[in-house]
Amino acid sequence: MYIGRFNQWYSWDLVYQPDQILRDLMTDISSGRGILIEFVPILFTIQVFGYVILSLLTVRSSK
């Protein structure tokens, strides 16, 4: 499945090229291809939900 081109940033880009990262983000948001922007919060929500369920199951099984 082809979603599109991903921006490739490195950790040092935050120090040396923060303006380029900001431009890339603004271009992605304004282009109407917001699937990548929406993907991150959806994945985060799924991971938090899974963590809560696993921690509840772990607490109950240890009692």
Side-chain angles (χ1 to χ4, degrees), residues 8-24:
Q8 184 174 0
W9 300 316
Y10 300 105
S11 57
W12 56 82
D13 288 340
L14 286 173
V15 176
Y16 294 113
Q17 296 179 342
D19 55 333
Q20 182 64 40
I21 293 175
L22 188 60
R23 269 188 263 135
D24 288 345

Side-chain angles (χ1 to χ4, degrees), residues 32-45:
R33 298 174 306 165
I35 187 73
L36 295 177
I37 304 298
E38 295 167 359
F39 177 73
V40 173
I42 290 171
L43 187 62
F44 175 75
T45 304

Side-chain angles (χ1 to χ4, degrees), residues 42-61:
I42 290 171
L43 187 62
F44 175 75
T45 304
I46 291 170
Q47 287 178 337
V48 167
F49 182 73
Y51 175 76
V52 169
I53 295 297
L54 286 175
S55 64
L56 288 175
L57 290 173
T58 304
V59 168
R60 287 188 181 183
S61 66

